[in-house]
Amino acid sequence: MFNTPEALLKYMRDEQVDFLDVRFVDVPGREQHFTLPLSYLSPQLLQAGIAFDGSSIKGFRGIDKSDMLLIPEPHTACLDPFAKHKTLMVTCHVVEPETGNPYLRDPRNIARRAEQHLVSTGIADTAQFGPEVEFFILDSVGYAVSPYSSFFEVQATEAWWTTGKQGNGYNLPQKGGYAPLPPADRYSDLRSDMVKHLESIGIAIELHHHEVASAGQMEIDMRFAPLLTSAEQVLKYKYVVKNTAFQAGKTVTFMPKPFYGDNGSGMHCHQSLWKDGKPLFYDPEGYAELSDLALSYAAGLLYHGPALTALCNPSVNSYRRLVPGYEAPVNLVISAGNRSAVVRIPAFYKGPQHAQDKRIEYRAPDPSANPYLAFSAMLMAGLDGIQQGMKPPTPMDKNVYSLSARESRRIKTLPRTLDDALDELESDHEFLLAGEVFSRDFLDNWIDLKREEAESFRMQTTPKEFEMYYNI
């Protein structure tokens, strides 16, 4: 780890590193990069910032104020496992050249402000996040969209729908992919390759396994880390997973719901608050050993859940996943060890010796979210729950999907579409403005971007509509 630009450049010279790859993230959550040769670098440049065109980055500035600067953060640097030439990759934050101030629309700066706001409340000094990021490994994919034709076609040799073709017979049944042994699990070694690469760049991994969906759904679990670090690791995780698969002749998608009739991919987020190195969510007398503070945090997530979906489930495809029956919860309830609840309290470990493991799991988010924004928004909702003294509803310790229609009508649910989620965010966003973590400008810009995205889907005719309506 490097604390200064000078230390970073000394390492590059000593280890004969050829290039510095500077990375940052746009508003929707896609990483961008520029690559600089060692011969061009100096401490003064890294301190002053690398110039770039902000008007070409989605969600940033217009062309009339397009000049912006990237400031590398040396402590984030690590060697790129995939570069042909020896390359150090480093994460940056964005500043405005006119003022030298952090750019308010930079998602990384929003996460930094979220951590600072947490400290300012005096409630805690650290928010720990442990995301479970799911994805699919596929053999190939093709797609096209035009005014007169649209299609997608996926090849996934382990999928249940390939059983009618010649193969080796080790296909997984629909929704039957959880933790099988090889050869039914075809990608155990490939996941291990991914883990080795992740560990090589400093990301601690707990385990990997095949997930529920048939067509190559996977999960690699990262160890929890402070909010900003955890969000940064999600982006590195995506980069490593995609490139490891690409080197093996495969392709990876983090789409929330690529296939009809099978489970989608979530990003379940385990969360806890700590102060002075001690966990704050454990109480041996509380429900599921949760403290009152933890229950209020969970209540904030449930109360603001509909608005959170606009940031935690920000794609039209997200709402293909948020339907009952596919382990993607839609009912805003809390329960211990219950995967049909939006807020689940893991029930694996009990007792004071596991106080550091006591946490809540918010199961709604998916991998299409920008982790800097999603984690910050969840933290702000939880803090609002604590500050307002909120209490969660009575725990629903049964399968929420099996409730009667009458029982279901009493439960608050997540939005069913991206437009509905944006409506919720427009009416419930004051909690995000506390401590100037999010700005009204950012939220207005986000809503405009996502309204435009949703509108593009409303105007596009799909093959399903031809199937249902062509012959009316």
Side-chain angles (χ1 to χ4, degrees):
M1 182 179 291
F2 314 103
N3 295 320
T4 64
E6 289 82 359
L8 185 149
L9 292 177
K10 182 178 185 303
Y11 171 83
M12 291 184 68
R13 289 191 294 269
D14 291 347
E15 299 298 323
Q16 297 183 322
V17 178
D18 298 310
F19 294 97
L20 183 68
D21 202 58
V22 295
R23 301 187 176 196
F24 65 106
V25 67
D26 65 11
V27 169
R30 293 184 178 90
E31 272 199 296
Q32 319 287 325
H33 78 129
F34 301 102
T35 308
L36 292 78
L38 176 60
S39 59
Y40 179 68
L41 298 174
S42 67
Q44 294 75 22
L45 174 66
L46 298 186
Q47 290 167 346
I50 294 98
F52 74 102
D53 174 12
S55 68
S56 297
I57 304 302
K58 192 161 188 177
F60 278 19
R61 286 176 154 185
I63 198 169
D64 56 322
K65 289 186 177 181
S66 59
D67 289 348
M68 306 195 78
L69 292 168
L70 296 173
I71 307 297
E73 300 187 24
H75 70 276
T76 67
C78 56
L79 288 172
D80 187 337
F82 307 103
K84 178 180 177 181
H85 302 283
K86 200 169 185 179
T87 300
L88 201 64
M89 51 187 185
V90 64
T91 302
C92 302
H93 66 271
V94 182
V95 302
E96 300 173 333
E98 305 92 340
T99 64
N101 293 330
Y103 183 45
L104 292 180
R105 289 188 183 179
D106 174 17
R108 186 172 179 83
N109 282 329
I110 289 174
R112 286 152 62 104
R113 293 196 297 274
E115 289 192 323
Q116 292 164 2
H117 175 66
L118 172 64
V119 173
S120 75
T121 66
I123 294 170
D125 53 36
T126 306
Q128 302 281 9
F129 276 75
E132 299 178 5
V133 188
E134 298 169 342
F135 57 95
F136 282 84
I137 299 175
L138 307 171
D139 293 293
S140 64
V141 61
Y143 52 87
V145 178
S146 77
Y148 314 107
S149 176
S150 63
F151 83 97
F152 74 88
E153 184 174 1
V154 171
Q155 300 295 328
T157 53
E158 76 162 32
W160 61 271
W161 65 75
T162 65
T163 56
K165 302 176 182 178
Q166 291 296 316
N168 54 30
Y170 294 113
N171 301 90
L172 295 170
Q174 190 173 20
K175 297 177 68 173
Y178 188 74
L181 285 172
D185 178 1
R186 301 176 187 229
Y187 298 121
S188 182
D189 285 340
L190 183 54
R191 291 195 308 273
S192 291
D193 290 341
M194 294 171 178
V195 168
K196 297 298 287 185
H197 284 142
L198 288 165
E199 290 181 330
S200 78
I201 61 173
I203 298 178
I205 301 299
E206 294 185 343
L207 80 162
H208 68 74
H209 63 92
H210 200 292
E211 256 298 348
V212 173
S214 162
Q217 189 182 35
M218 310 294 161
E219 181 178 311
I220 301 172
D221 289 342
M222 294 177 281
R223 180 70 171 162
F224 65 80
L227 185 154
L228 183 66
T229 300
S230 185
E232 172 192 314
Q233 288 181 349
V234 169
L235 296 176
K236 289 180 177 178
Y237 175 103
K238 287 186 172 183
Y239 175 72
V240 165
V241 165
K242 288 179 180 179
N243 279 279
T244 308
F246 184 72
Q247 286 186 339
K250 304 293 181 181
T251 181
V252 159
T253 182
F254 289 92
M255 284 177 64
K257 186 75 169 185
F259 306 118
Y260 172 79
D262 219 331
N263 282 26
S265 291
M267 186 173 66
H268 310 150
C269 290
H270 297 254
Q271 303 165 51
S272 61
L273 297 182
W274 295 55
K275 190 172 186 178
D276 298 327
K278 297 179 180 179
L280 303 180
F281 275 16
Y282 174 72
D283 181 349
E285 304 301 321
Y287 170 74
E289 297 189 335
L290 281 185
S291 65
D292 288 342
L293 182 139
L295 289 169
S296 290
Y297 186 101
L301 289 173
L302 292 172
Y303 180 84
H304 296 295
L308 286 176
T309 54
L311 292 160
C312 296
N313 308 88
S315 67
V316 171
N317 187 250
S318 296
Y319 300 85
R320 314 271 192 250
R321 168 181 168 263
L322 291 178
V323 294
Y326 295 91
E327 294 197 25
V330 295
N331 295 298
L332 288 162
V333 298
I334 184 172
S335 184
N338 185 349
R339 285 173 167 80
S340 67
V342 168
V343 173
R344 168 181 167 264
I345 303 105
F348 300 116
Y349 306 112
K350 295 182 179 180
Q353 68 272 31
H354 294 293
Q356 68 175 12
D357 298 313
K358 187 53 59 179
R359 62 197 187 272
I360 63 100
E361 177 191 10
Y362 191 61
R363 292 178 59 79
D366 67 57
S368 69
N370 183 327
Y372 291 120
L373 305 180
F375 295 0
S376 299
M378 284 184 276
L379 174 63
M380 297 302 288
L383 290 177
D384 191 56
I386 293 170
Q387 292 171 319
Q388 302 299 326
M390 294 182 187
K391 302 297 181 186
T394 302
M396 186 72 67
D397 293 331
K398 57 182 176 180
N399 185 352
V400 184
Y401 302 141
S402 66
L403 298 179
S404 67
R406 182 179 179 183
E407 289 176 305
S408 295
R409 283 194 294 270
R410 299 174 184 170
I411 299 174
K412 191 176 181 182
T413 63
L414 294 174
R416 293 190 173 188
T417 69
L418 179 57
D419 271 318
D420 289 345
L422 295 170
D423 289 343
E424 294 286 353
L425 181 60
E426 285 186 320
S427 63
D428 176 25
H429 59 263
E430 290 297 324
F431 71 100
L432 296 171
L433 303 177
E436 299 182 336
V437 174
F438 288 81
S439 65
R440 290 188 185 276
D441 169 74
F442 178 87
L443 293 175
D444 288 343
N445 178 53
W446 177 265
I447 290 169
D448 287 345
L449 284 173
K450 291 298 170 177
R451 292 282 189 203
E452 182 180 348
E453 184 177 318
E455 182 67 22
S456 70
F457 280 81
R458 276 195 295 275
M459 296 186 295
Q460 180 66 44
T461 305
T462 66
K464 185 68 176 177
E465 291 168 90
F466 274 85
E467 177 187 77
M468 295 189 69
Y469 307 128
Y470 182 80
N471 198 30
I472 59 176

